[in-house]
Amino acid sequence: MFCIIICRSKSINSVKSVKMVRLSVFMVLAFLCSSTTAIEAAEHPKYKDPKQPLHVRIKDLMSRMTLEEKIGQMTMIELNVTSPEVIRKYHIGNILIAGGSAPAPHASAEKWMDMTDEFQKWALSDRLGIPIIVGTDAIHGHNNVYNSTIFPHNVGLGATWDPQLIKKIGAATALEVRATGIPYSFAPCIAVCRDPRWGRCYESYSEDPKIVQTMTEIIPGLQGDIPANYPMNFPYINNDRIKVAGCAKHFVGDGGTINGIDENNTIIDWNGLKNIHMPAYHDSVRKGVATIMVSYSSWNGKKMHSNYDLITGYLKNKLKFKGFVISDSEAIDRITSPPHANYTYSVQASILAGIDMVIVPFKFVEFIDDLTLLLKKNVIPMSRIDDAVERILRVKFMLGHFENPMADRSLASQLGSQEHRELAREAVRKSLVLLKNGKTGDEPLLPLPKKAQKILVAGTHANDIGNQCGGWTIEWNGQSGNITVGTTILTAIKNTVDPSAEVTYNENPNKEFLNSNDFSYAIVIVGELPYSESVGDSKDLKIAEPGYSTITNVCESVKCVVIVISGRPVIIEPYLEKMDALVAAWLPGTEGQGVADVLYGVYGFTGKLARTWMRTVEQLPMNVGDAHYDPLFPFGYGLTTTPRELIAAQ
């Protein structure tokens, strides 16, 4: 076109005509340039350019999204209902790996990465190619995955009083989660458990909000340290692919429900909520936590999933939280009683309250249809949807997900690595609390001598990895038995004692067996069976049978140390006089060698109670600082021992 115009211009003599031709040429060139720019912009949109500022990338992508694509980003569905057709049809943006879900039994890191990469391929083939976030409850290590390092549950980590150790555990957990191609963990739980009858009390670091605040140091462990001069209260994830997005939960007051009943009502005034249950959220936001999960519970009768004042008014507006707020699984159903009675209302109330991403593991089509209808009827404004999607995309961009959506195969060796197991072993050592050491007037029993003629090990929890790990391990509720790779306490004892010592294991020895053997001493290991959430709610806080009869039979016949494996303080006072020593080992996880390390004096006992140990359940709730405070063992209590090598040196 340009050449034709030039040739014609030679036959034109008037100055005016020449000017017109020049103008025409300029306009054609401008048109060609603008067309080329438009084509380049279409082929290389700003949201795919990592050099663009974060807000520019988010704005550019959102300007291209349809309503259906936005709602897809707000939806998280379960692994077992995920397919290429579902992802493409509904533009699903997020996938949940629930407890017990896996690509195959005993799946390797590579098998997990194959699965997550498949998800990404399906998502990236959609029109805009927005990568998927895969999330899982890695709450004490990567606990849903076989052969991972299982760290002590939070109740034990609280007893270490060591936030720097907890930060290292966060970093190790992030590596193991990334080793399976997953970039998002629903951790940490920063509940302040005020009543041990609550079935989730082992997910809480302490009854004391100050200790829980210090343990939010796990967040920079999971996500990375915030750089200097970083914007205040803005989410931060180091996108070097060895960190994950964290999730502070459950907002807010979940540990204060009546009688410790899970998902129930927390009755407390605003000052109490702010001073006991809220402080750790301030710290979490300050440390750049990427997401926050809302609690199933209520505050003074108002379901948290519909509480606009706390989610939007306080968390988003007052604390200036810019990450995304996620529901708990199927939690919006529970806004009504009975659950799911008026689902359209539940969708309306939760989204208007400020929830950005909703976990709807199975009934996601109903959620998508209802939310679409509410938007079209102007019940929910488009501005609320845009706020939610902007927050979700912010986290995806910060993860570096658009540049590197696929799993990093070089990280496979991080799953269950020896370095992480050594860290878990250290955490076990530091979490053990010595509650009694020697009967009145007697010499201390601990540390135990490695050289002994005959040693008895008894109890249901002595040789059981599943009991050692507790709930949220491989399965949602956990499971007894050798469900994953690890070291039982019995094996650890055999590894530690002198080769000349004879170790006999009898789970529940009777009097005849005990009287017919001359044991130097006995180690009795008993406790609670695995549970999670409401399954673990307990009115009596008793250990599993035949735990008490094993304590009685053994400790009445042999000098004994009792090790309690539990997710909380349990009833032990009626049997305390029979014991020579008592150790609270909480739920130590896969590295039982850490227990033997301290029993035999390789290291000393250093743990201190971060929970009050009651005498009876009738005293509950009872927490440090209460006017009527008469515990069996008070908050902060813990005897110490000196390592044998140090004793020898002295």
Side-chain angles (χ1 to χ4, degrees), residues 301-314:
K302 175 76 171 176
K303 288 282 187 181
M304 274 305 310
H305 275 77
S306 62
N307 197 316
Y308 173 89
D309 290 338
L310 286 177
I311 297 172
T312 297
Y314 195 82

Side-chain angles (χ1 to χ4, degrees), residues 250-280:
H250 308 85
F251 188 81
V252 60
D254 51 339
T257 55
I258 300 169
N259 298 327
I261 299 170
D262 191 40
E263 300 185 20
N264 210 264
N265 193 19
T266 298
I267 299 176
I268 193 170
D269 62 19
W270 168 241
N271 283 335
L273 188 76
K274 188 171 66 173
N275 294 333
I276 294 172
H277 300 285
M278 196 69 83

